[in-house]
Amino acid sequence: MTYKLSNYIYGMVRVRIRGLMPEKFVNLCIAQHILLWDIVKRDDDLYANMRLNDFFRIRPITRVSQVRVRVVSYRGLPFIIKRIKRRKMMLVGASLSFILLNIMASYIWFVDVKGTKQLTTEMIKEIASQSGLKPGIVKDSVNAKQIEKTIQLNIPEIAWAGITFTGTRAEIEIVEKTMPKQQDNAPADIIAAKDGVIVEFIVLSGKPMVKKGDTVKKGDLLITGVVPEQITDNVSGQLDAANSPPQFVKAKGIAKARVWYETYGETELATPIYQRTGNREVAVNINIGSNKISLKSADLDPNAEFETEVIYKKLPKWRNSGVTVESEINIFHEVTTSWATRTIDEARDDARAKALAAVQNLIPETAYILSRTSEVLDTSEPNLVRVKVSVETIEEIGQSVVILSQ
C-alpha cells in the first residue's frame, strides 16, 4: 500500500520499449538502479512501468541499447498538478466556491419551531426575530441563551425553550405549560343524554326533577339549575320560597341509568368476486357547462360485464368566462364474475361480528355491561343472514346544558 502511494505521489509512466535489444535496456536500467515493474512482452515490444524521475535518466541507456522508448500512459500527483496549472480559472473557481461556501455556512438561513401545541410558530418566530434570530443573521452573533429567556418571558405559556444550530438551520424547541382548565360555573341544567331507567341518582347542586326508578327519555330534565332562594319569614320563622326570586346555579350530580342498545349485522351467503380480464373500452366526452359532446364512444359487448372508471380533467378557465370546460374519460374494464360462498354458521358469525362492532361504537368506555345477547332473524332473502345484537349497560346519562334565559 505504501509502495503504491509513493508511486502515485512521485508520478509513474508506462512505456513501450521497441528496438534491437530491449532486454539489454532492461539490464542497463537495473544496473543504474532504475526500477521497472509490470514488464510485459507483446510481439517484439516490451511494456513496463517506471517512476517519472527515472524516466528522465534513461536517454543514455536508450542510445547504448539502440531502442526507442515511448510513453503510452501516465498517472500520479505531478500530472494532476500540471493539469490544474493549465486550467487556472478552474482552480480559482474552486477556491472561490470553497470560500463562498464557508461564508454562507456561517449564516442562519432557516429558522424552525417544534413542540408547539396551542401556540403558533409565527408568534415564536416573531419574538425570536425581534431578539436577533432570523434568516440572514451571522450565526456567531446570535446569543441563544438570551433569546431563550426572552421567549419564555414574553410567552408565559412556555415552560422551557431551547435553541440548537445544525448547519445553516436554527431550531427552536419549546415545551408548553399544562395550563389548568378554567372551571365553567355558568348556570346549567342536567338533562338525559339517552333513554333509560334511573338506577343511581345523587344531586350535588340544583333541584332534582326525577328519582331513582324513573324511566326517562333523551332530553328529559334530570336536575334543574333554577332553585328558589330560601328566605326565612321573620314572623313565623318558616322558610318561604314561594315569594322569593329564583336562584340560578350550575346543576351537578350523578345520574346513572340502565340503557339498552340494539344493532344489526348482515352477511350474504354468496358474494360476487370481480376480476378484470385486461380487455377494456374507452369513451371520451367534453363537458361545456351543462352540455356534453361525445368525441369517442365505447363499443361494449352486451353479454359482457364491465367495471366503469371515470376520470375528469378540468381545463383552465377562459379569460372573462365563467363556463367550466372539462374532459370526461370513461374506461370500461371487462370483468369475469366468480362467487365466494359461506356456510350458514360462517355467515352468522360474520354478521354477529359486524353487529357487535357497530354497538361497540355506541357504548361509552366507562359503561358497565350487564348483558349481551344475539339473535338470528328470519329474512325474506334466502341469500342473506341477519343478526340482532342487544346490549344492556349501566352508564352515566347526565348531560350539562347551559341555561340561556335567566
Side-chain angles (χ1 to χ4, degrees):
M1 183 65 184
T2 305
Y3 176 72
K4 291 182 178 180
L5 181 61
S6 175
N7 290 335
Y8 183 82
I9 293 173
Y10 290 104
M12 55 164 285
V13 295
R14 187 162 183 80
V15 296
R16 183 187 65 193
I17 306 163
R18 177 179 293 178
L20 297 176
M21 295 178 288
E23 291 81 2
K24 184 177 180 181
F25 173 81
V26 173
N27 293 331
L28 290 175
C29 286
I30 295 173
Q32 295 293 328
H33 302 288
I34 296 175
L35 182 62
L36 300 176
W37 72 93
D38 290 345
I39 301 174
V40 178
K41 186 173 184 181
R42 294 176 185 172
D43 297 331
D44 295 330
D45 299 335
L46 289 180
Y47 291 85
N49 293 337
M50 66 173 57
R51 285 188 174 179
L52 179 62
N53 54 356
D54 291 336
F55 177 75
F56 298 106
R57 298 168 51 200
I58 64 174
R59 178 170 291 185
I61 300 176
T62 57
R63 291 174 182 173
V64 173
S65 58
Q66 300 181 4
V67 298
R68 288 177 297 169
V69 178
R70 182 178 178 182
V71 176
V72 293
S73 64
Y74 52 84
R75 62 178 181 176
L77 189 60
F79 301 104
I80 295 176
I81 296 174
K82 183 179 180 181
R83 193 179 307 152
I84 293 175
K85 286 181 178 179
R86 289 177 182 175
R87 302 178 181 178
K88 294 182 179 180
M89 292 307 298
M90 184 183 71
L91 180 61
V92 172
S95 301
L96 290 176
S97 298
F98 180 76
I99 295 171
L100 183 62
L101 184 62
N102 278 273
I103 293 174
M104 296 290 286
S106 64
Y107 285 79
I108 296 296
W109 298 111
F110 305 96
V111 179
D112 296 333
V113 179
K114 74 173 186 177
T116 57
K117 294 179 181 177
Q118 303 296 329
L119 301 174
T120 61
T121 58
E122 289 74 14
M123 179 194 306
I124 298 169
K125 285 184 178 180
E126 180 63 26
I127 296 174
S129 177
Q130 294 174 1
S131 302
L133 178 58
K134 55 186 176 181
I137 196 73
V138 179
K139 190 188 303 182
D140 293 339
S141 66
V142 176
N143 189 339
K145 295 297 182 182
Q146 184 61 41
I147 297 174
E148 292 169 3
K149 292 180 181 178
T150 304
I151 292 174
Q152 290 181 260
L153 290 174
N154 284 272
I155 307 178
E157 293 84 356
I158 294 179
W160 176 85
I163 298 175
T164 56
F165 299 101
T166 305
T168 60
R169 186 180 300 273
E171 187 175 82
I172 305 173
E173 185 177 0
I174 67 165
V175 176
E176 295 185 12
K177 293 179 181 177
T178 304
M179 306 298 290
K181 293 183 179 180
Q182 294 183 353
Q183 189 173 3
D184 184 12
N185 292 319
D189 296 329
I190 292 180
I191 64 172
K194 300 177 181 178
D195 300 348
V197 177
I198 302 295
V199 296
E200 183 180 349
F201 193 62
I202 301 174
V203 179
L204 302 176
S205 175
K207 180 182 177 181
M209 303 302 291
V210 295
K211 62 182 182 299
K212 182 179 178 180
D214 286 353
T215 300
V216 297
K217 291 189 173 296
K218 181 179 179 180
D220 286 354
L221 185 61
L222 304 181
I223 306 174
T224 180
V226 182
V227 181
E229 186 177 1
Q230 303 292 333
I231 300 176
T232 304
D233 193 311
N234 294 329
V235 179
S236 62
Q238 300 293 327
L239 293 175
D240 183 11
N243 299 321
S244 60
Q247 213 176 12
F248 293 92
V249 298
K250 181 178 177 65
K252 298 179 183 179
I254 299 172
K256 292 186 177 181
R258 294 173 65 182
V259 181
W260 290 266
Y261 297 90
E262 285 186 358
T263 56
Y264 299 86
E266 295 179 348
T267 298
E268 295 179 337
L269 292 172
T271 54
I273 299 175
Y274 301 103
Q275 186 173 4
R276 295 181 180 180
T277 63
N279 300 327
R280 67 177 190 174
E281 291 288 336
V282 179
V284 181
N285 301 318
I286 294 292
N287 300 328
I288 304 176
S290 59
N291 300 317
K292 179 178 290 188
I293 302 173
S294 177
L295 299 182
K296 183 178 183 296
S297 59
D299 184 15
L300 303 180
D301 185 355
N303 298 320
E305 293 182 292
F306 295 91
E307 281 183 348
T308 305
E309 178 185 357
V310 183
I311 301 173
Y312 293 98
K313 293 185 178 180
K314 186 174 292 187
L315 302 180
K317 290 186 177 181
W318 298 338
R319 182 183 296 178
N320 301 326
S321 174
V323 179
T324 301
V325 181
E326 65 181 4
S327 64
E328 177 185 335
I329 303 173
N330 296 276
I331 305 175
F332 300 93
H333 299 275
E334 184 182 13
V335 295
T336 58
T337 306
S338 58
W339 293 86
T341 58
R342 295 184 178 91
T343 64
I344 294 179
D345 291 340
E346 290 174 341
R348 184 189 62 234
D349 293 341
D350 186 65
R352 182 187 291 115
K354 292 179 180 177
L356 286 172
V359 78
Q360 198 64 39
N361 292 330
L362 303 175
I363 301 174
E365 294 182 358
T366 55
Y368 175 73
I369 298 177
L370 294 176
S371 64
R372 184 189 291 115
T373 60
S374 61
E375 178 186 358
V376 179
L377 304 178
D378 295 331
T379 62
S380 58
E381 302 178 34
N383 188 43
L384 192 66
V385 175
R386 182 179 291 117
V387 175
K388 180 179 75 172
V389 170
S390 302
V391 178
E392 181 182 355
T393 67
I394 292 180
E395 59 186 79
E396 174 65 47
I397 64 169
Q399 180 182 356
S400 182
V401 178
V402 176
I403 301 173
L404 298 178
S405 59
Q406 299 181 19

